[in-house]
Amino acid sequence: MSQQPAPAPPYRPYRQVRAATPHTRAVSCVRFSPCGRLLATASLDGTVALLSPSSLAVIAVLRGHTDGVSDVSWATESFYLCTASDDRTVRIWDIRPVLAGGAQADPGADRCVRVLKGHTNFVFSANFNPQTSSQIASGGFDCTVRIWDVKSGRCTRAIDAHSEPVTSVHFIRDGSIIVSGSHDGSCKIWDAKTGACLKTVIDDKKPAVSFSMFSPNGKFILVATLDDSLKLCNFATGKFLKVYSGHVNRVYCTQSAFSITNGKYIVSGSEDNCVYIWDLQGRNILQKLEGHTDTVISVSCHPTENKIASGGLDNDRTVRLWVQDG
């Protein structure tokens, strides 16, 4: 007899367990480290905070950018962090002393090891190649996607990728290709080595593509557009398989995430100050998390625990932690 797939576990609701205000301006990005031991938060105040993922206590603050920070990405082994800023740079930070703790972990120490310069306008997105901490992709308001060699600090590829600002860049899990989204309404796939455009997934002019990322298994792309819509696309065929809606997303580049620690969910911020959780397969809203007092711009799912972090814009400024009751 053929094995029936196991039914999905019954949905256990998330509840808020912590809220913190580590920044003086809007929180722009929240990202759990792949090791699960730190939560990085970026802000328009120009700083990046490293928080405890359980208490939200500030463990260290990374200072050096001279303007707001829009995006944060961890290298796979959690030793390095890269940040994208309106000061037109990408910075690389060595987080190893923070993870080691003890006397080394001076919370205010300068941990910046590289400043990547080349973008001619705001850098809006940056992402480590998951296979090697020596390569980063970035995208910005100069409409380019840039590929960087971290060791030398050199830009190895500057791709005239879009006709309007690039809102997101993201490597597939094997590091071979990059997806980019843009205000020009397109979403494109690039060869990480050559910089060649391999495929245009969407080319609609309107609405703007506000966010795009590969699924953890590398088979799909999640694309957010500024018409209150999130779509799951099979990028090999170019077919849209699922649409997730009910949230509000018309203005900001709100970041979404896949939750895979207990069932498979799509999680996103929203301009109605809530976090939305959808069933990946069924597309139905499972829960709407209330508590923030401004747009929720970013969410992150813990790599091993059933835990979500979220960050809010200027009228909120909080980082909130939500957990599923065991």
Side-chain angles (χ1 to χ4, degrees), residues 259-271:
S259 171
I260 54 172
T261 49
N262 177 42
K264 289 189 168 61
Y265 313 137
I266 302 290
V267 184
S268 178
S270 175
E271 289 159 19

Side-chain angles (χ1 to χ4, degrees), residues 5 12 35 58 65 154 189 203 232 239 319:
R12 298 206 311 270
C35 68
V58 176
H65 282 297
R154 281 186 22 251
I189 310 278
D203 195 9
L232 194 68
K239 288 203 164 56
V319 174

Side-chain angles (χ1 to χ4, degrees), residues 106-146:
D106 170 4
D110 182 5
R111 310 212 176 277
C112 183
V113 291
R114 287 276 183 282
V115 181
L116 308 183
K117 295 179 177 175
H119 279 285
T120 57
N121 205 330
F122 305 151
V123 192
F124 199 68
S125 180
N127 190 235
F128 265 107
N129 184 325
Q131 295 300 320
T132 168
S133 56
S134 64
Q135 190 179 57
I136 284 171
S138 63
F141 275 51
D142 59 7
C143 309
T144 68
V145 169
R146 289 172 189 258

Side-chain angles (χ1 to χ4, degrees), residues 36-52:
R37 291 174 51 206
L38 291 170
L39 174 65
T41 64
S43 171
L44 297 194
D45 68 11
T47 68
V48 174
L50 299 175
L51 311 183
S52 157

